[in-house]
Amino acid sequence: MPLSPQRRLALCTTLVAALAAGLAPATSAVAAAPAAATATDPVAAVGAATRPAAGRLPDMEGVAGALSAAMAKGAPGAMARYTGPGGVKTRALGVRDRVSGAPMDTQGRFRIGSVSKTFSAVVLLQLVDEGKVELDAPVNRYLPKLLPDDRITVRHLLTHRSGLADYTDAMFNRTVPGFEAVRNRVFSYQELVNLSLSEPRTTEPGVAYKYSNANFVVVGMLIEKATGQPVADAYQRRIFTPLGLRNTSYVHPDTRIAGLQVRGYLHPDEAGAPLVDSTEQTVSWAQSAGAVISNPEDLNTFTSALMQGRLLSPRMLDAMTTVTPTDATNTRFYGLGLRRYDLSCGTRVYGHTGTVQGFYTYTFATRDGRRSLAAMANTSNRGEANTALGGTLEAAFCGKPTAPKPSSRAALDASAPAALPAEQDLRENR
């Protein structure tokens, strides 16, 4: 007996609902799945878990809310630049110079701190591709007798699994006095390695993740040994020039930020003490671990180009994006000089965070490189400001939450997405 049009419509509706229930992706499970922690994550395997829902746009109100929240926690200013299929979107709040009152400007240049580690990792992985370095070879093969343990490999440095102590913990045990003691000092790489080796190692090689700036000091030494060039030249020839990064430079030991600059402000450990202008410094205490200067546009370009395979071979990019957890949340991971954050909407983003005296930075992109965000707040030693700035990632890559947000300027702080405590790239006492 033929079905009536009404019966056919009801049956189709039931089947569609059943299929939708059975095929709907469980994004929360994807974000937390431990199996993803160590898996290579090429674009073909990413699937819907790393893409936003169709038509999802960045929540620039939420981005502004996160910037405002960072200012409420002590940053004189903050800014963000987002790029995606819909074009470029920017937000800038507060001031880039407390003395002149100059407003924050997304064209301004600033110190990017540990985002420099991703630049260093790219250069070293290019050298691996060229057969000049092997990832699983002992560091001492290339730098004889540098380290007291022949088991420490190049890969251990890039993944922060060498066990080398982070000398900056002692160096900045007292934030402002520690900074002033090294502000104009010029270190050799060997001096920094010696500072690390004077302290107990944190773990056996390869056993556990333990972030240490010493690892990327040694990476800089490897780059210079393999290329016969200063790190600055390797950055320029291999990354800055090919990508047209006109506002990015490795400045050491000069203390200045040339051109349109954002000034950085360091919070002392003592409550109520005035901010310290920390803009001019050699950053010799970090060098290849943190001395690069850039701006949001160049950071967007760099992170997107990296994820699109413009800087590394597919083999090396797969190695770089193969990650292991850095904490117990199953949302934060580390590869080879690269962080991966799994956001609440299921989107995975790759990049790095950066802390240097006076500046916090986040620069991340999706695995296909089509969407990227660079955000900065001009303060440091104020962990709550760093955490608030991290809220720009959720807003930019996940879009507006389902619940409506207040739209008034006074409600910007309340509209900022919640964020996990920021990971520390440098010792924080407040």
Side-chain angles (χ1 to χ4, degrees), residues 38-64:
T38 57
T40 300
D41 194 18
V43 174
V46 173
T50 61
R51 294 194 296 269
R56 177 175 282 161
L57 298 174
D59 176 12
M60 296 309 293
E61 180 187 338
V63 169

Side-chain angles (χ1 to χ4, degrees), residues 94-159:
V95 298
R96 60 182 176 87
D97 187 325
R98 296 178 71 230
V99 174
S100 71
M104 186 59 72
D105 189 323
T106 56
Q107 295 298 314
R109 303 176 73 230
F110 53 89
R111 301 189 186 280
I112 65 174
S114 287
V115 176
S116 307
K117 291 178 172 65
T118 305
F119 286 84
S120 296
V122 166
V123 172
L124 193 59
L125 291 174
Q126 289 179 351
L127 295 170
V128 172
D129 250 343
E130 295 164 15
K132 297 177 181 177
V133 179
E134 292 181 18
L135 272 178
D136 294 308
V139 172
N140 285 346
R141 175 190 296 180
Y142 307 104
L143 301 168
K145 299 182 180 179
L146 177 71
L147 303 180
D149 193 331
D150 287 338
R151 295 175 299 166
I152 298 175
T153 67
V154 175
R155 189 187 300 273
H156 291 152
L157 299 177
L158 293 172
T159 57

Side-chain angles (χ1 to χ4, degrees), residues 65-78 267-268 271 332 355 359-362 376-392 413 416-424 426-430:
L67 301 179
S68 181
M71 290 177 57
K73 299 299 183 181
H267 279 272
R332 292 171 170 182
T355 301
F359 302 97
Y360 289 130
T361 304
Y362 286 75
M376 185 279 300
N378 58 342
T379 198
S380 68
N381 195 36
R382 185 58 70 95
E384 290 180 330
N386 196 10
T387 295
L389 185 67
T392 56
D413 288 354
L420 291 169
E423 294 186 281
Q424 290 190 10
L426 194 66
R427 183 186 180 95
E428 303 260 44
N429 296 327
R430 292 193 66 189

